[in-house]
Amino acid sequence: MSIQWFPGHMTKAKRKLEEQLRWVDVVLELGDARLPLSSRNPLLRKLLGNKLHILLLNKSDLADSPKTDLWLAKLKKDCPVLAISAMTSKGTRKIVPLMETMMSEKMDLLMAKGVKGRSIRAMVVGIPNIGKSSLINHLTGGSQAKTGNKPGVTRGNQWIRIHQKVELLDTPGMLWPKFDDPLIGKKLAATGAIRDEVFDQEELAGWLLEWLKVYYPKETEDFYQLHVHELNLEGIGRKRGCLVSGGKIDIVKTSQIFLREFRSGRIAKVTMDEILTD
Ligand SMILES: Nc1nc2c(ncn2[C@@H]2O[C@H](COP(=O)(O)OP(=O)(O)OP(=O)(O)O)[C@@H](O)[C@H]2O)c(=O)[nH]1
Ligand SMILES: [Mg+2]
């Protein structure tokens, strides 16, 4: 469940994350493929220090695929990155082999010191609603087979074996969304990362519709079977039969339906962050 972030929450989440990070070799940072920039918290980088780090752009089934490829090419200059979908399983089989490759040097060092058979320890981190639990369930195959508390791992951290050589911390690390920029806030709300109570639904829906008309006009017109001059919340409300007495359109209900249709990816597969050229 998403929560509204305020400084107290952030401090608590940050402290918990710092504690969890001590026990892992590799951090699987989940981002949203529709928001390769806005769904990431820039503070993570600092918290990670030189810990191994993989960026997973989740929900790629909902994103604009050619744009995802452009983003991957850009982001991989910074850290290893994969486009995945915890829903359709796309790309998820590449995660463990990538971890093994990245860890091979450290494992060789451990072997040289006589430490044998040590598993790679990984954890998932990300902002609310990004798919952390879905990915953990996917990687563990819904398995409840915890590998037990590790000696020295306090506060009840549980590990789940996801591969012969890899264990996953069963609770994800919570990153808070960063939305001091109003545009980032709107994008996060549109994709469902910020809960609906935070933004006025009608205003958000109005903004999103204008955004779609700029970036995905044809797809939106086709989906609603409306010409651009009728493509507004009133028009959509009429199409969806959202009427109140007197034949007026129920704009609040229309806004909710429209946001739901957008989030399901049925209007268009979208990427909302513009790729910045170097
Ligand atoms: N289309 C699509 N939906 C996804 C994907 N991964 C997760 N979801 C959906 O996104 C929503 C949030 O997923 P969760 O796994 O609960 O996300 P979370 O990060 O654990 O959320 P919190 O625990 O609230 O922070 C659910 O409705 C999932 O079904 C994906 O790859 N594609
Ligand atoms: Mg969760």
Side-chain angles (χ1 to χ4, degrees):
M1 213 200 47
S2 308
I3 54 170
Q4 196 175 333
W5 289 94
F6 57 85
H9 274 128
M10 291 184 202
T11 312
K12 217 171 143 200
K14 180 167 170 271
R15 211 172 291 140
K16 182 163 182 230
L17 185 60
E18 280 169 337
E19 159 69 23
Q20 288 170 311
L21 284 173
R22 292 167 58 196
W23 310 107
V24 302
D25 303 303
V26 187
V27 170
L28 304 174
E29 179 196 2
L30 271 196
D32 188 319
R34 295 167 298 175
L35 299 172
L37 271 184
S38 308
S39 64
R40 302 179 67 195
N41 187 312
L43 194 84
L44 178 67
R45 215 46 209 256
K46 278 193 209 128
L47 290 176
L48 289 181
N50 49 16
K51 204 160 285 273
L52 296 176
H53 168 211
I54 300 173
L55 171 62
L56 301 172
L57 293 179
N58 191 38
K59 307 199 184 186
S60 64
D61 55 301
L62 301 175
D64 186 333
S65 187
K67 288 197 177 163
T68 301
D69 290 341
L70 292 174
W71 270 111
L72 289 175
K74 184 180 171 69
L75 292 167
K76 76 175 183 201
K77 293 177 193 159
D78 209 34
C79 72
V81 52
L82 296 172
I84 66 158
S85 167
M87 189 82 111
T88 67
S89 309
K90 185 193 160 214
T92 55
R93 260 173 305 174
K94 296 182 189 159
I95 299 172
V96 166
L98 180 57
M99 275 194 271
E100 288 188 286
T101 309
M102 289 168 72
M103 276 294 287
S104 66
E105 213 174 303
K106 186 168 174 182
M107 284 305 181
D108 288 348
L109 281 172
L110 285 170
M111 284 282 260
K113 284 187 198 162
V115 181
K116 282 201 197 115
R118 152 87 147 71
S119 294
I120 298 171
R121 294 175 195 155
M123 77 178 288
V124 172
V125 309
I127 64 168
N129 212 36
I130 201 97
K132 298 180 295 299
S133 301
S134 304
L135 180 66
I136 292 174
N137 288 338
H138 181 78
L139 290 174
T140 60
S143 150
Q144 295 304 305
K146 308 256 162 67
T147 56
N149 284 332
K150 285 263 172 286
V153 178
T154 51
R155 287 166 252 254
N157 283 344
Q158 294 279 324
W159 298 87
I160 311 174
R161 185 165 296 286
I162 59 168
H163 177 266
Q164 194 196 352
K165 293 181 191 157
V166 185
E167 289 174 307
L168 189 73
L169 193 60
D170 76 340
T171 42
M174 201 49 142
L175 285 175
W176 48 100
K178 190 171 178 295
F179 51 97
D180 35 348
D181 173 349
L183 181 60
I184 295 183
K186 284 178 190 157
K187 289 174 178 179
L188 288 168
T191 53
I194 300 176
R195 62 177 196 169
D196 285 341
E197 289 74 13
V198 178
F199 281 86
D200 179 81
Q201 294 295 278
E202 191 183 329
E203 206 182 307
L204 179 64
W207 172 81
L208 178 62
L209 187 53
E210 290 311 309
W211 185 89
L212 279 169
K213 282 160 74 173
V214 173
Y215 292 96
Y216 296 91
K218 173 112 180 38
E219 291 85 344
T220 313
E221 282 182 42
D222 288 352
F223 182 74
Y224 286 111
Q225 294 285 296
L226 287 169
H227 288 293
V228 68
H229 59 275
E230 309 157 316
L231 196 53
N232 48 42
L233 290 177
E234 296 250 327
I236 293 174
R238 203 165 293 119
K239 279 274 174 183
R240 292 289 179 260
C242 295
L243 301 176
V244 281
S245 59
K248 280 195 160 177
I249 309 291
D250 183 341
I251 290 293
V252 173
K253 191 160 169 233
T254 305
S255 300
Q256 288 165 346
I257 291 175
F258 166 63
L259 286 169
R260 202 160 56 227
E261 288 173 338
F262 172 74
R263 289 171 186 160
S264 73
R266 281 158 60 215
I267 302 176
K269 308 283 178 215
V270 305
T271 300
M272 301 190 84
D273 284 336
E274 284 295 296
I275 186 128
L276 307 167
T277 42
D278 294 315

